Structure formats: C-alpha cells, structure tokens
Amino acid sequence: MSIVHISSFSSLPFGGVSASAILNNFTPHGLDPGGFTALALAVLVANLPQLLFSTLYFMYNRLLTSMLAMDEWSRFAYRSATLRVSYPSRSQRSTYWLHLPYTYSIPLLITTTMMHWFVAQSFFLARVQIYDADGNPYQELPGTSFDPILSTPGYSPKGIIASIALGSSMLLFLVGLGLRRYKGGIPLIGNNSLAVSAACHPPADDNDPAHSKVMWGAITPEYGTIPGHCCLTSKPVTPPLVDNWYAGLGKVIYRPV
Amino acid sequence: MRTPNGLEYLDNAGCIEDYSVDFLTGRRNLLLVTNSTTVLYPNGTRVIEGTVFGMLNSTTWNTRLNGEYTWNPDGWVCGGSNNFGVTSTWSNRVMTNGVCSLSKAIAQAADLEFYFWDENEFPSRYSVPLAIEYCLSQSTPELCQLGFTVYIMIIVILCNIAKVASMVCSFWVLIDEPLVVIGDALSSFLEAPDINTKGCCLMEARDDISIRNSQGRIWQFKRHYWFYAATPFSIVRCFIWFV
C-alpha cells in the first residue's frame, strides 16, 4: 500500500481515483492484473467493507429493536392501550412500524444509506488503462508480459475518515441510548418468551383482553387473598406495592424469602 | 494560444500544474522549450547547438511493474533520470524536508531549470543547465469507458431474483400468525395463558429460569438501563464489530 503524505491529503479526491491511493502490487504474483480473476478479486476486496457494515447494521438494529420493544412494553405500566400486532383484528392496532418507531427508523435509514455511500467512496474498484505516447492503448508493456490494464482496489482517505466519523457517532448514539433508564414499574420481559408468558395471566373474568385496552399492574385482590397478582389485563389495575408479595391467582403455600 | 501543429502553449506554472496530476487524462506529450541553444563551458568552448536535449518516457507504470524509473507525476518537478531532469539548484528551492512541494514549484515556475548530460561531447558528464521558457503540450480527448462485466452482472441479477423470491415467500406464504412484534406474543399468551408460568408474574427476561416457581416474589421498584433489554452477548458482539 502506498503511503499518502499528510501534506498531499487535502488534494486527494473524495472517492476519486488517485495514483497515490491505490493498492500497488495487489494482484498476486503470476496473475495477470488485467485479467478476469484479478478483476473479480479486486471487486470482492473493494466491496468487503460493505459486507462488514451490513453485518454491523443487523447487530445495531437488533440492539435498538430490543431496547425499543421494552420501551413500548414499559408504557403498559402507565396507560392502558390496545395491543399492536402484525395482523390486527377488531380493536387491535396495526404495525405501522415494524420494530423501530419512525423517529428511530428514518434517521437510521438515512444514516446507514450515507454510511454505505461513504464506505463505497472509501474503498472502490480502480481500473486503469494506459496509453502510449502516440495515444494507442498499450498492448503489452515493454519487457514484461503484463497487460497494462490494472484492476485494483483503490481507497480514499477522505472517505475513510468520513466513514469512521459517522460510524463513531452511530456508536456514541447507541451508548447514549443504552444508558437511558426505563421509567420502571414493570418487569422487563425482553424477548424472553417465558417472561412474556408469565406476564399474561389475566383473571378468569377478564373478557377477551387480547382485543381490549390493556394495562399492566396488580389486580384488586379478592378479600383475604394473599399474595397479590400482577398481569396484563383489561381489568382495573394499580401499580404493585414495593415489598409486597405477588404470585399467581391460585393458592400459594409459603411466602418466598 | 494554439500553435499551428496542434500543440498548446502553456506557461511554466500552468505546465507544472497540469502535468502534476496522478492520472494524466486530457494531455499527452509535453515539450519543455528553452532558448539556450548556446552554452559556454568552463574551458570557453561553444558546445551546444541542438534541438532536442533530452527526454523522459512517461510510462509511469513501468515503475509499478518493476520497470525502469522514468517519470513520475508527483516527482518530475523535483527529480529526473540520470541524463535529464530538473537541476539541483531548482529542486533545492522546491523541496521541503525531502518532500516535493507543488505550490512552491508553481510559485517559482519562471525559474524552472533542467539539466542534461551530453555524454558524447563530454566524457566527464558535465551537467548543462537549461532555463525553461515555456511549454508546449499535446492535448488529447479524455477517454473514460463504462466497465461492464457480464459474469458479475449475472451474479448480481441472480442474487436479486433470490432476494425478491424470499420477500414474496415471506409475505405471501408465511401468513399464519407470525411473531414479529411484542404485541403478537402478548396477544397470543393473553388468549391462551401458558400454564408453565402461572404464578411467576414478576419474572424478568434475565432471570434464572431454573429457579422459577409459582410462589411468586417480592416486588421491588427498579429502573433498568436500556441496555438491560438486550443480551450482553449481542451488545458485546455489536461493539466488537464496530471496532
């Protein structure tokens, strides 16, 4: 790899081909630099960063999804609402957004599009044809057996710096978001189906909670019933009391320590 | 100004600027013109009466393919070959800490000086300085082709077809109550409560599921970080991937 001197940095193009910023001697020894194998290899290497970023996008999206799904769930502790499902029936709400609300998904979409563009400007395929003093394409360089068409990955330091800057701000945003705190007052069930099911034990007289406005909290206990019970239900609920004992609806033998 | 034979007049500064690009795309051969047809040597003899004093081959790629060093886009105003190139007087003026400065070269372009060694006339290889007056450049139409590879295009088209097919499949074929958003799971469990989790009403995602029991637990008010919603593994993996 050739070294770009710092004084010449400002003159380098953003994403353009520059002789001082391409991988020299990229083509493995014995392979024709103008041939298809060299081209395919250069295409793969030049686009590898795109694949890496796409993988990162899935991981990033997954973290945002987990955090925002719990934000959506947390709200059931403070207001009653109908469920938001993929195929709504009756009073259920539709998934206007799939897993990220528009306030997150649209900026994320714009950022990742820009990031893909920056990465494309950072690493690209450079294909150069050399002409001789008479203006004819060189068929073969004197003294060598190489075809003087060169397929090699090129890079743009400005593009790389832009990519790193944007990538770092995405990471900072994630850290900032992760260090927010939920409002509390509800168990964080996450994407754990066991915990999700544990929160869904409405009382027997709750009529079709899946299609009603529901809220999470402690249901009013029948007289003398210990312990209490918390669930997602369309019945009236109150916030659970600190240091109080909550379990199921049936009889319980002993109080947990 | 266009000269009759198709060469374009460039002053020294324009010549240095135009020919110091990485890939020369709009110009081809360059003539550096001097008015020194007569040079007096130390012994007083009149030696030079010629038209062409030296030349450099512009095939930069020779260097890259381990060929002979000839001409370099970012170095010709500060160097040269054994027989022809800028004088050391000139290169000392335009180099800063061993780095060739294009802006310095352009600023002092009027004083551009080349030397050549006339081996035939002078076995001692006396270096003859030649002041450059102006340049003549051969302009050429810029050539830029659309690169097109059928094999890669076929691969891309096949990948796109596979992608569209998967999208159509997931949209039209997988229609039996998918669990996509958390509301889907809540709706499903509200309609058919799971007997296994009866009594565990305060269970959280990160609880140890092996100790679940129907005795329930004591409620404590906690405000978790948003990171708590994701598994530590997925957070660590995402951070590593960023780096």
Side-chain angles (χ1 to χ4, degrees), chain B residues 70-136:
Chain B
T70 45
W71 180 90
N72 222 336
D74 51 3
W76 72 276
V77 287
C78 294
S81 71
N82 285 338
N83 300 316
F84 189 58
V86 296
T87 59
S88 54
T89 323
W90 163 264
S91 66
N92 286 339
R93 287 167 66 176
V94 296
M95 304 246 299
T96 322
N97 302 324
V99 179
C100 192
S101 162
L102 186 60
S103 52
K104 273 193 173 180
I106 290 169
Q108 307 174 74
D111 302 330
L112 179 60
E113 240 184 8
F114 267 65
Y115 68 82
F116 85 105
W117 268 311
D118 191 333
E119 293 178 69
N120 300 328
E121 298 268 353
F122 292 93
S124 60
R125 292 170 65 93
Y126 188 85
S127 168
V128 185
L130 303 163
I132 302 300
E133 217 177 339
Y134 62 94
C135 304
L136 291 173

Side-chain angles (χ1 to χ4, degrees), chain A residues 3-12 20 158, chain B residues 74 94-103:
Chain A
I3 303 301
V4 176
H5 194 272
I6 198 73
S7 66
S8 62
F9 174 79
S10 59
S11 66
L12 285 170
S20 54
K158 278 182 186 169
Chain B
D74 51 3
V94 296
M95 304 246 299
T96 322
N97 302 324
V99 179
C100 192
S101 162
L102 186 60
S103 52

Side-chain angles (χ1 to χ4, degrees), chain B residues 147-159:
Chain B
F148 187 80
T149 312
V150 178
Y151 303 110
I152 293 176
M153 189 190 71
I154 290 171
I155 294 169
V156 170
I157 289 175
L158 287 178
C159 287

Side-chain angles (χ1 to χ4, degrees), chain B residues 4-228:
Chain B
N5 54 2
L7 292 171
E8 194 182 333
Y9 169 89
L10 291 175
D11 63 12
N12 288 358
C15 165
I16 291 171
E17 194 168 5
D18 284 8
Y19 278 82
S20 292
V21 291
D22 291 323
F23 292 108
L24 197 58
T25 50
R27 299 190 176 279
R28 198 176 294 146
N29 298 310
L30 176 69
L31 300 175
L32 300 168
V33 182
T34 176
N35 59 2
S36 314
T37 52
T38 305
V39 172
L40 286 176
Y41 274 73
N43 59 10
T45 49
R46 214 171 77 104
V47 289
I48 308 166
E49 283 197 22
T51 47
V52 176
F53 298 121
M55 66 177 267
L56 291 173
N57 188 342
S58 68
T59 313
T60 318
W61 299 94
N62 272 350
T63 320
R64 302 187 186 280
L65 299 173
N66 301 322
E68 182 197 351
Y69 171 78
T70 45
W71 180 90
N72 222 336
D74 51 3
W76 72 276
V77 287
C78 294
S81 71
N82 285 338
N83 300 316
F84 189 58
V86 296
T87 59
S88 54
T89 323
W90 163 264
S91 66
N92 286 339
R93 287 167 66 176
V94 296
M95 304 246 299
T96 322
N97 302 324
V99 179
C100 192
S101 162
L102 186 60
S103 52
K104 273 193 173 180
I106 290 169
Q108 307 174 74
D111 302 330
L112 179 60
E113 240 184 8
F114 267 65
Y115 68 82
F116 85 105
W117 268 311
D118 191 333
E119 293 178 69
N120 300 328
E121 298 268 353
F122 292 93
S124 60
R125 292 170 65 93
Y126 188 85
S127 168
V128 185
L130 303 163
I132 302 300
E133 217 177 339
Y134 62 94
C135 304
L136 291 173
S137 161
Q138 185 187 4
S139 1
T140 170
E142 191 172 332
L143 285 171
C144 195
Q145 288 172 300
L146 177 67
F148 187 80
T149 312
V150 178
Y151 303 110
I152 293 176
M153 189 190 71
I154 290 171
I155 294 169
V156 170
I157 289 175
L158 287 178
C159 287
N160 278 334
I161 290 173
K163 187 179 173 181
V164 170
S166 328
M167 285 164 78
V168 167
C169 276
S170 54
F171 196 76
W172 294 106
V173 181
L174 304 172
I175 51 168
D176 53 331
E177 296 190 33
L179 293 173
V180 178
V181 293
I182 192 143
D184 292 332
L186 294 173
S187 171
S188 164
F189 281 125
L190 282 178
E191 282 175 350
D194 178 11
I195 192 92
N196 295 306
T197 55
K198 200 170 161 60
C200 314
C201 71
L202 297 182
M203 183 182 245
E204 294 206 323
R206 294 221 197 150
D207 287 350
D208 184 356
I209 59 162
S210 63
I211 58 160
R212 75 178 187 273
N213 57 50
S214 57
Q215 274 71 49
R217 66 170 65 174
I218 306 302
W219 170 250
Q220 296 298 342
F221 188 89
K222 278 176 283 185
R223 291 193 64 190
H224 288 298
Y225 285 115
W226 277 40
F227 270 136
Y228 190 83

